[in-house]
């Protein structure tokens, strides 16, 4: 069992597997619809020059999420 | 993201100042993820024969166009670009309600050849509502450049609906797309859907509920899909659905509202 | 019999119980894994090279060091090309259209038409139409195709990505940066562009504040006043740099007001949870330059022409009547201006300036011509041959100071949107309340700021 963290804490260039989406309501649906379902491998690509939002590679598309939203996605780092 | 096309295109000019509609033999919906070149497909099919308006009661752009193929006029309704039909944003509701309630003669799902997996998510969701689907694997030229190969025949067999590879920018594959749309719309070709299988728990729940759903909605609505939405707890859809079943009306699928500046 | 799904929904909820979230996850996950499986069967990669190219471009365009300079550079080039590039076609168009006006006058003379008919139709209706077309068409036909090219390239989402943090702090959406940029071309286009913002709250914020960026119809006024009152006071070699900086300063002021008002709205009448922000950064693509240019230029031409015919032409007729109908020896125009003079002076303007803004409601680009017309009592909208003439008219004959110019520029930046824009807001939001607010908010800001600056400057005895 690897350590659990949230998507916003990962550094650029790292990979992680989605464990659970903690958000509720519309945000939750949005994140699921973008493909952040448990087991999905996500790559952290870059941060905006202003530090936020953060761009991820989710199932082949580059999607930017704000830090607080990314913080609601539980992941385990993948090596 | 459709920014400048929406807000400065000729369509907008017509929208601000006026709009016109005409009658057609078949209604075809155009669905797809954002950034798949869906508007390019729309333009390639309809040329300048377009007009736009808003979906009634929503600030979601509705573009319509038409084209003639083998002396039949096809009316093409461009649905908002969405990743899914599940999350109840205004865009997704419009797309879903149109496919579900307006029951177009065929629905083209535009998918990005360079990102097939993500795009098939939407395609599979559309195919849960209707079987009258043509998959348009667009940006095939980009895919070739990225050295991505897609087995179109196999994809068609696997999904059970006609599939065509296109590069709408250059017009590649467009005649074939028109042909397949015509086949599906006129029911010359029957599709054989392979529905998504869910986990045992979900399938058991479907088995329990679906017969009763079917008893109410009959064959007008796909009962398996509606059962899934009930399990999903989608109260908004249930509300729209009851309205449709009882009055035959849905708010969001009425024709373009005619409006002009003068 | 009424059909009801409610009992079934209850049953479904009973089956699902408290596991609603897991079940939703489950359903979405099954669809995605099916998609993954199918894609795995039909897709084969032979080389992953190209994705890396997109990444490398992003490394530069969204880099902490180069991201902002490149972005501002690109926007600056777009503006520069628009303003400089529009000059030549604008004056060509003006020459042509006013030549036609002269021929129309000849025709009226030849037909022995009454003077008022010629005045109303040619000096009123036709001239304002010609004015709007020659001022608006070239910049719009340059600005929007350039933007479309940037969009087709895939650059615009990167701008939203770079700037989102600032908009987040103002309770707004990063894509508002794009709707504002569109507003520089035309606020009505900016309002429609707000559709790209998915969440209704943030879209409304963007809609209500779009007018704080000056559109192509207001830029010429700003540039003319800056050239006369700010750049004119320094040596010739510096003047173009100073003028550019001053216009840039006004734009920055407009952006600051936009963010401040967005923030105010987001904590008052539009309070609420910031909705989830998701932004796709699509791959870069080579745009179809030719198609974009032809289509975009054509579209703009139609837009400007229709707007000129439907909105500006009737307004021109009305203004001509106001300028030429007299009561007790004074034209209606100067009577109205007299009534407005006291409140206007409190804002650092005068009655004619305020009246010009009010009569310019149909189209911002006719504000300055109306003002000149009412100052020279010409009875028809006119343009002066040179900036020096305009300076003479404003300063020597009507007592303008740099303060008058500053207040006029601020009011130009912050007042009600033009008629086309208001119409567009009403159509998009379908609410008279929001349309009214979209007019009231910028007007209130303009009035308050002008009163503040005017009285502060006078208090400090700076004029």
């Amino acid at each position: 069992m690897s350590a659990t963290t949230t998507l916003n804490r990962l550094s650029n260039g790292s990979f992680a597997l989605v464990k659970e989406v903690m958000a509720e309501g519309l945000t939750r649906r949005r994140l699921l619809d973008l493909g952040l379902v448990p087991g999905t491998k996500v790559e952290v690509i870059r941060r905006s020059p202003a530090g936020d939002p953060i761009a991820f590679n989710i199932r082949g598309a580059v999607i930017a999420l704000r830090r607080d939203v990314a913080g609601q996605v539980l992941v385990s780092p993948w090596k | 993201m459709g920014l400048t096309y929406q807000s400065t295109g000729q369509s907008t000019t017509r929208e601000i100042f006026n709009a016109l509609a005409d009658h057609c033999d078949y209604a075809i919906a155009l669905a797809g993820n954002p950034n798949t070149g869906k508007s390019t497909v729309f333009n390639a099919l309809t040329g300048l024969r377009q007009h736009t308006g808003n979906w009634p009661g929503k600030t979601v752009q509705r573009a319509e166009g038409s084209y003639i193929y083998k002396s039949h006029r096809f009316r093409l309704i461009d649905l908002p670009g969405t990743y899914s039909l599940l999350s109840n944003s205004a865009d997704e509701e419009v797309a879903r309600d149109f496919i579900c309630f307006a029951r177009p003669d065929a629905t083209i799902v535009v998918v990005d050849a360079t990102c097939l997996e993500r795009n098939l998510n939407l395609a599979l969701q559309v195919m849960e509502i209707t079987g009258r689907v043509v998959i348009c694997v667009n940006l095939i030229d980009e895919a070739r450049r990225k050295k991505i190969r897609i087995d179109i025949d196999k994809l068609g067999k696997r999904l059970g609906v006609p599939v065509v590879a296109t590069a709408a920018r250059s017009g590649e594959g467009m005649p074939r797309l028109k042909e397949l749309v015509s086949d599906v719309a006129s029911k010359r070709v029957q599709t054989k859907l392979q529905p998504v299988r869910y986990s045992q728990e979900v399938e058991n729940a479907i088995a329990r509920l679906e017969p009763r759903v079917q008893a109410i909605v009959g064959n007008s609505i796909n009962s398996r899909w509606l059962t899934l939405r009930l399990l999903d707890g989608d109260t908004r859809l249930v509300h729209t659905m009851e309205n449709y079943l009882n009055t035959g009306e849905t708010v969001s699928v009425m024709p373009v509202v005619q409006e002009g500046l003068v | 019999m009424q059909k009801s799904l409610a009992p079934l929904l209850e049953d479904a909820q009973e089956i699902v119980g408290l596991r609603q979230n897991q079940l939703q996850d489950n359903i979405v996950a099954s669809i995605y894994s099916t998609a993954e499986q199918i894609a795995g069967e039909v897709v084969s990669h032979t080389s992953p090279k190209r994705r890396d190219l997109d990444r490398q471009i992003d490394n530069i365009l969204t880099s902490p060091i180069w991201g902002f300079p490149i972005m501002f550079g690109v926007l600056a080039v777009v503006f520069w090309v628009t303003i400089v590039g529009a000059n030549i076609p604008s004056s060509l168009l003006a020459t042509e259209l006013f030549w036609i006006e002269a021929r129309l006058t000849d025709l009226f003379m030849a037909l022995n038409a009454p003077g008022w008919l010629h005045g109303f139709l040619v000096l009123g209706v036709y001239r304002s139409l010609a004015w709007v077309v020659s001022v608006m068409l070239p910049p719009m036909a340059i600005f929007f195709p350039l933007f479309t090219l940037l969009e087709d390239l895939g650059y615009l989402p990167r701008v939203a990505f770079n700037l989102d943090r600032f908009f987040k702090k103002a309770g707004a959406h990063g894509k508002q940066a794009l709707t504002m940029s569109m507003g520089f071309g035309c606020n009505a286009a900016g309002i429609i562009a707000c559709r790209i913002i998915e969440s209704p709250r943030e879209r409304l914020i963007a809609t209500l504040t779009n007018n704080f960026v000056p559109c192509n119809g207001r830029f010429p006024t700003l540039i003319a006043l800056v050239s006369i009152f700010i750049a004119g006071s320094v040596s010739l070699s510096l003047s173009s740099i100073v003028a550019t900086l001053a216009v840039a300063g006004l734009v920055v002021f407009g952006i600051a007001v936009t963010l401040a008002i967005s923030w105010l709205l987001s904590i008052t009448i539009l309070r609420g949870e910031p909705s989830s922000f998701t932004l796709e950064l699509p791959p870069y693509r080579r745009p179809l330059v030719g198609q974009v240019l032809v289509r975009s230029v054509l579209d703009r031409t139609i837009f400007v022409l229709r707007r000129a015919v439907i909105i500006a032409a009737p307004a021109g007729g009305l203004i001509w009547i106001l300028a030429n109908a007299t009561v007790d020896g004074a034209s209606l125009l100067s009577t109205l201006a007299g009534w407005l003079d006291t409140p206007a002076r409190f804002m650092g303007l005068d009655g004619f300036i305020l009246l010009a803004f009010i009569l310019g409601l149909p189209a911002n680009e006719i504000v300055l011509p109306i003002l000149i017309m009412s100052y020279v009592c010409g009875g028809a909208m006119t343009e002066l041959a040179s900036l020096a003439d305009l300076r003479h008219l404003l300063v020597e004959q009507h007592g303008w100071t740099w303060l008058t110019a500053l207040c006029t520029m601020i009011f130009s930046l912050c007042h009600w949107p033009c008629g086309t824009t208001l119409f567009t807001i009403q159509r998009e939001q379908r609410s008279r309340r929001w349309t009214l607010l979209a007019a009231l908010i910028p007007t209130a800001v303009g009035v308050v700021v002008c009163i503040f600056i005017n009285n502060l400057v006078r208090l400090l005895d700076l004029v």
Side-chain angles (χ1 to χ4, degrees):
Chain A
M1 177 85 197
S2 54
T4 298
T5 179
T6 50
L7 209 45
N8 61 322
R9 291 168 187 245
L10 299 172
S11 52
N12 293 353
S14 58
F15 291 83
L17 293 176
V18 176
K19 292 180 91 166
E20 198 187 340
V21 176
M22 309 276 283
E24 290 295 327
L26 194 64
T27 309
R28 178 188 180 79
R29 292 246 67 140
R30 281 253 131 163
L31 294 177
L32 291 176
D33 286 345
L34 286 172
L36 286 170
V37 293
T40 306
K41 192 167 94 176
V42 176
E43 179 189 3
V44 185
I45 299 179
R46 70 181 70 251
R47 280 162 166 80
S48 155
D52 189 24
I54 310 167
F56 302 96
N57 181 355
I58 305 171
R59 295 184 183 261
V62 182
I63 308 278
L65 302 175
R66 282 179 179 172
R67 234 174 1 202
D68 44 348
V69 174
Q72 299 177 55
V73 182
L74 282 187
V75 294
S76 55
W78 186 88
K79 278 146 200 116
Chain B
M1 55 178 37
L3 177 81
T4 55
Y5 289 105
Q6 272 200 18
S7 53
T8 70
Q10 182 219 16
S11 55
T12 300
T13 307
R14 291 212 194 148
E15 189 183 332
I16 289 181
F17 294 104
N18 226 327
L20 285 168
D22 44 14
H23 292 281
C24 300
D25 301 323
Y26 296 110
I28 312 294
L30 187 66
N33 283 29
N35 301 307
T36 52
K38 188 162 72 75
S39 55
T40 323
V41 173
F42 183 73
N43 289 335
L45 283 175
T46 61
L48 290 170
R49 202 179 277 279
Q50 302 176 4
H51 53 262
T52 57
N54 272 15
W55 292 86
K58 318 227 167 164
T59 48
V60 175
Q61 171 151 335
R62 168 174 177 146
E64 286 191 23
S66 69
Y67 65 91
I68 293 171
Y69 179 76
K70 295 202 173 150
S71 70
H72 288 288
R73 188 183 288 277
F74 292 76
R75 169 164 160 246
L76 193 64
I77 298 99
D78 190 17
L79 303 177
T82 60
Y83 294 108
S84 147
L85 297 176
L86 296 176
S87 66
N88 279 333
S89 72
D91 283 0
E92 293 179 17
E93 217 166 79
V94 160
R96 182 197 67 195
D97 287 357
F98 190 84
I99 298 171
C100 172
F101 298 117
R103 302 211 279 157
D105 298 299
T107 300
I108 303 172
V109 183
V110 182
V111 299
D112 178 349
T114 65
C115 199
L116 194 63
E117 174 191 324
R118 152 173 297 285
N119 283 256
L120 280 179
N121 176 51
L122 177 72
L124 289 169
Q125 289 185 29
V126 172
M127 288 188 285
E128 286 194 318
I129 307 178
T130 171
R132 299 170 84 173
V133 167
V134 176
I135 303 288
C136 165
V137 182
N138 195 33
L139 300 172
I140 197 73
D141 48 345
E142 289 280 324
R144 276 196 290 262
R145 207 169 305 133
K146 289 185 184 181
K147 315 269 185 237
I148 298 170
R149 277 182 44 90
I150 296 176
D151 188 336
I152 297 293
D153 290 341
K154 197 167 173 187
L155 183 61
K157 287 204 185 78
R158 190 70 175 70
L159 294 173
V161 298
V163 178
V164 56
T166 63
R169 285 164 57 121
S170 61
E172 180 186 339
M174 298 317 282
R176 175 81 179 135
L177 175 62
K178 286 182 183 172
E179 185 187 333
L180 292 178
V181 167
S182 164
D183 287 349
V184 170
S186 64
K187 301 185 186 163
R188 261 194 305 280
V189 164
Q190 291 296 324
T191 53
K192 296 178 285 294
L193 289 184
Q194 315 278 319
V196 175
R197 306 311 302 182
Y198 293 95
S199 64
Q200 201 54 50
E201 186 197 1
V202 176
E203 289 293 346
N204 287 344
I206 296 174
R208 274 176 66 183
L209 220 50
E210 192 185 343
R212 294 171 55 203
V213 173
Q214 186 153 28
I216 293 183
V217 300
N219 291 322
S220 62
I221 303 287
N222 186 322
S223 56
R224 179 182 165 88
W225 172 74
L226 182 56
T227 308
L228 276 163
R229 298 291 77 77
L230 288 170
L231 294 169
D232 234 356
D234 190 340
T235 46
R236 279 187 72 108
L237 173 69
V238 168
H239 188 79
T240 322
M241 181 70 73
E242 282 178 340
N243 215 10
Y244 169 77
L245 291 172
N246 291 315
T247 65
E249 273 175 27
T250 54
V251 196
S252 57
V253 294
M254 310 296 276
V256 176
V257 177
Q258 301 289 314
E259 48 188 25
L261 190 66
V262 276
Chain C
M1 198 196 78
Q2 289 280 304
K3 291 180 179 176
S4 173
L5 292 167
L8 285 175
L9 188 63
E10 272 167 36
D11 287 358
Q13 264 150 12
E14 205 168 292
I15 295 172
V16 173
L18 295 170
R19 297 171 36 74
Q20 187 81 61
N21 274 355
Q22 281 107 309
L23 193 103
Q24 284 186 354
D25 281 21
N26 222 315
I27 291 176
V28 181
S30 296
I31 301 173
Y32 259 115
S33 67
T34 309
E36 202 177 319
Q37 202 188 336
I38 296 174
E41 286 170 31
V42 301
V43 178
S44 49
H45 295 258
T46 45
S47 152
K49 273 263 166 62
R50 159 88 196 194
R51 160 88 28 87
D52 290 341
L53 185 61
D54 283 328
R55 295 264 176 107
Q56 279 159 12
I57 298 173
D58 270 339
N59 283 344
I60 301 164
L61 294 184
T62 63
S63 94
I65 303 163
W66 296 108
F68 288 116
I70 290 176
M71 189 175 67
F72 291 123
V74 167
L75 291 180
V77 167
V78 169
F79 288 136
W80 185 80
V81 170
T82 304
I83 291 170
V84 173
N87 275 340
I88 299 166
S90 259
S91 59
L92 276 178
L93 264 176
T95 314
E96 285 304 311
L97 291 172
F98 287 109
W99 180 85
I100 295 176
E101 185 193 299
R103 299 293 78 76
L104 282 173
T105 301
D106 293 346
L107 181 71
F108 275 74
M109 303 279 249
L111 293 174
N112 260 331
W116 60 266
L117 188 66
H118 168 254
F120 178 78
L121 286 179
V122 177
L123 301 181
V125 173
Y126 177 83
R127 188 173 282 187
S128 73
L129 196 137
W131 208 290
V132 169
V133 171
S134 62
V135 172
M136 284 305 268
L137 186 53
M140 299 247 280
I142 296 173
F143 183 83
F144 285 108
L146 289 178
F147 244 84
T148 309
L149 282 181
L150 287 180
E151 175 172 15
D152 281 9
L153 275 167
Y155 182 61
L156 294 188
R158 272 75 186 178
V159 172
F161 180 65
N162 286 347
L163 289 173
D164 179 63
R165 187 169 192 181
F166 306 103
F167 286 92
K168 182 187 172 187
K169 284 193 170 158
H173 196 290
K175 285 184 190 167
Q176 192 173 331
L178 305 180
T179 65
M180 285 166 69
S181 305
M182 298 297 284
F184 281 112
C186 167
N187 292 120
I191 299 295
I192 298 177
C194 291
R195 285 176 185 168
I196 62 165
I197 301 173
E198 299 93 352
S199 60
R201 194 184 79 98
E202 279 84 346
R203 184 187 298 174
L204 201 48
I205 292 177
T207 302
L208 294 179
T209 55
N210 192 271
N211 197 47
F212 290 118
V213 292
C215 64
N216 271 322
R218 289 183 276 164
F219 258 113
T221 309
L222 297 179
I223 292 171
L225 293 181
V226 157
S227 316
I228 293 174
F229 286 92
I230 297 173
S233 54
V234 296
S235 72
L236 204 61
S237 56
L238 279 176
S239 67
S240 71
I241 298 171
V242 173
T244 310
L245 284 177
V247 173
L250 280 169
V251 169
V252 169
F253 170 76
I255 293 170
V257 172
T258 303
L259 288 174
I261 298 294
S262 298
W263 178 76
L264 268 178
L265 285 170
S266 75
I267 59 164
T268 55
I269 51 172
L270 290 175
R271 198 170 43 233
E273 283 293 296
S275 23
S276 58
F277 169 92
T278 55
L279 175 73
E280 183 173 352
L281 303 177
Y284 290 99
R285 294 198 177 116
R286 194 167 38 84
L288 296 167
V289 180
Q291 203 173 315
V292 166
L293 288 184
V294 170
R295 183 137 195 167
S296 200
V297 169
L298 205 69
D299 289 346
R300 288 298 84 195
T301 311
I302 298 167
F303 178 87
V304 174
L305 288 180
R306 295 189 81 148
R307 180 165 168 273
V309 171
I310 295 174
I311 297 175
L318 175 73
I319 291 161
W320 185 87
I321 293 174
L322 287 178
N324 291 277
T326 53
V327 177
D328 299 335
S331 71
L332 281 177
L333 201 69
S334 43
T335 312
L336 286 174
W339 293 345
L340 290 170
D341 204 53
T342 314
R345 294 225 176 252
F346 194 57
M347 293 162 52
L349 311 172
D350 67 28
F352 286 107
I353 304 173
L354 192 53
L355 185 63
F357 278 116
I358 293 171
L359 293 177
L361 172 71
N364 277 308
E365 55 274 32
I366 57 176
V367 169
L368 200 56
I370 295 173
L371 182 63
I372 297 170
M373 167 186 82
S374 33
Y375 273 167
V376 300
C377 304
M381 282 190 272
T382 35
E383 188 172 30
L384 295 171
S386 69
L387 282 178
D389 289 347
L390 184 58
R391 182 189 169 79
H392 181 77
L393 176 74
L394 297 180
V395 179
E396 313 298 331
Q397 296 180 359
H398 289 272
W400 278 45
T401 62
W402 63 266
L403 181 60
T404 324
L406 182 64
C407 288
T408 307
M409 288 191 286
I410 287 173
F411 201 68
S412 171
L413 205 58
C414 310
H415 72 293
W416 50 86
C418 75
T420 313
T421 306
L422 284 173
F423 174 81
T424 310
I425 295 171
Q426 168 64 27
R427 209 181 32 94
E428 290 293 299
Q429 294 295 336
R430 293 170 188 282
S431 148
R432 290 186 196 285
R433 184 168 154 245
W434 294 125
T435 310
L436 194 66
L437 264 180
L440 285 182
I441 291 171
T443 309
V445 171
V447 169
V448 169
V449 173
C450 283
I451 289 177
F452 176 76
I453 290 182
N454 179 44
N455 289 286
L456 184 73
V457 169
R458 290 186 189 281
L459 199 71
L460 298 176
D461 236 357
L462 291 175
V463 186

